[in-house]
Amino acid sequence: MNSIPDTLSGAIGADRYAVAGNPVAHSRSPRIHALFAAQTGQAVDYGRLLCPLDAFKATLTGFVQQGARGCNITVPFKFEAFEMAARHTPRAVLAQAANTLRFDAQAEGGWLADNTDGVGLVRDITVNAGVPIQGRRVLLLGAGGASAGVLGPLIEQRPSELVLANRTLDKARALVERHQAWAAQHGVTLHARALADVGEAFDVLINGTAASLGGGEVPVGAQALKPHALALDMMYGPAARPFLDWARAQGATARDGLGMLVEQAAESFTLWRGVRPDTAPVLALLRTEVDGTTPEAPR
Ligand code: ATR
């Protein structure tokens, strides 16, 4: 698989997709989707679509006019992408944000918005890392787009308790409020807390804050972790390192966001192509590529 080019641009008859965002230069998504396409024999041409901050809609519309079939959306356009779609999956509605668009024709109902971040995270934790969420106590840090995208699917796993903690408590409260009915439906106790007051001994800690990007410290104390807990940062590469080092120093199992990245991509690919790729060999290859280089770390 090492010989697969980063994109299959220009492949004759290939359907076009892209990751749309700003910045997108360092996105690993074209690489991941090229590997999926090669593995499944799908004619997919997946590139990067750099969108000016004030012209996301126009850039996307132009891409569709060129015959594109779908795209992934990254920062800072996930909320705008959600609003542009005619139809939304229930998990996108909970997140109020989309990381995946499928450009279905008007006659088929129009553009479909999905959010595959949460199911990607859940698959990485429960399948790749082999750590169950059901019945466990889970702490999710951050109340921005990253956390909004994963909260609903985490609740679906039925943890015994889920605490959402954020520097700005009101943002955590608003996100919790939006998910409260979903939590009740799944028998999950869901709380919003301040970072200084998260509680103790969680089985799973997920960092969805941007603290490490700004060189900030891990925003909670070591008491938040149970011995041998799973501590996962949604970032990967150098940006995740301070959190992973901290987690290991506490005796936790540390995990970065690379598995989540590959799993959310697989879910998008499945939505577009109706074929599910095998993520294990792609994640293994990406791991060697990422650990052997020093990429920046977009989520
Ligand atoms: P994203 O869409 O990537 O989640 P975002 O919407 O800007 O980005 O959210 C960033 C998250 O990281 C927020 O929860 C933010 O906390 P606030 O809501 O209080 O701003 C959190 N964050 C950023 N820097 C942080 C730091 N140094 N310590 C703790 N939390 C931080």
Side-chain angles (χ1 to χ4, degrees):
M1 280 208 270
N2 270 316
S3 61
I4 304 300
D6 197 36
T7 73
L8 300 177
S9 295
I12 295 165
D15 291 327
R16 292 187 67 190
Y17 300 85
V19 54
N22 188 340
V24 284
H26 299 283
S27 172
R28 300 262 167 187
S29 293
R31 175 72 173 146
I32 294 169
H33 283 277
L35 292 167
F36 287 164
Q39 183 198 83
T40 59
Q42 293 282 307
V44 163
D45 170 3
Y46 187 114
R48 293 182 176 83
L49 192 65
L50 177 64
C51 304
L53 291 176
D54 59 354
F56 173 67
K57 201 170 181 172
T59 310
L60 211 59
T61 305
F63 188 50
V64 175
Q65 282 164 355
Q66 291 167 26
R69 302 286 293 272
C71 67
N72 285 126
I73 318 293
T74 187
V75 284
F77 300 119
K78 290 185 182 183
F79 302 103
E80 229 177 303
F82 176 84
E83 281 165 17
M84 283 177 73
R87 297 177 299 148
H88 307 86
T89 62
R91 59 196 182 195
V93 172
L94 271 175
Q96 295 283 295
N99 78 333
T100 307
L101 290 175
R102 196 177 66 195
F103 301 132
D104 294 347
Q106 287 293 349
E108 294 164 356
W111 292 12
L112 175 69
D114 195 3
N115 195 315
T116 67
D117 285 333
V119 71
L121 174 69
V122 163
R123 264 189 82 84
D124 186 55
I125 293 174
T126 59
V127 180
N128 298 342
V131 173
I133 296 174
Q134 186 174 13
R136 304 293 179 92
R137 296 182 63 238
V138 177
L139 173 59
L140 175 62
L141 305 178
S147 291
V150 303
L151 189 53
L154 282 173
I155 290 168
E156 267 180 67
Q157 292 297 302
R158 301 177 189 270
S160 61
E161 183 186 4
L162 210 167
V163 171
L164 179 76
N166 194 45
R167 183 174 61 180
T168 310
L169 181 56
D170 280 352
K171 277 171 70 180
R173 284 194 175 127
L175 198 52
V176 160
E177 192 158 320
R178 194 161 86 223
H179 287 76
Q180 211 52 271
W182 191 242
Q185 207 175 313
H186 291 83
V188 176
T189 306
L190 177 65
H191 298 295
R193 298 245 177 88
L195 289 173
D197 181 32
V198 294
E200 294 179 4
F202 288 89
D203 301 290
V204 178
L205 165 60
I206 300 160
N207 186 19
T209 74
S212 48
L213 278 184
E217 302 212 328
V218 175
V220 287
Q223 89 293 339
L225 293 168
K226 226 182 199 174
H228 312 297
L230 177 72
L232 183 150
D233 197 315
M234 290 197 221
M235 307 250 180
Y236 61 89
R241 242 168 248 157
F243 179 89
L244 301 182
D245 289 346
W246 171 83
R248 284 188 196 109
Q250 315 311 323
T253 300
R255 195 165 179 86
D256 70 2
L258 200 63
M260 172 184 173
L261 181 77
V262 171
E263 293 297 343
Q264 63 79 31
E267 194 73 16
S268 298
F269 191 92
T270 306
L271 180 81
W272 294 325
R273 310 302 300 178
V275 180
R276 178 168 286 279
D278 179 5
T279 51
V282 174
L283 178 54
L285 183 56
L286 260 277
R287 175 65 64 200
T288 63
E289 292 177 356
V290 168
D291 288 351
T293 57
T294 52
E296 291 192 14
R299 273 205 283 257

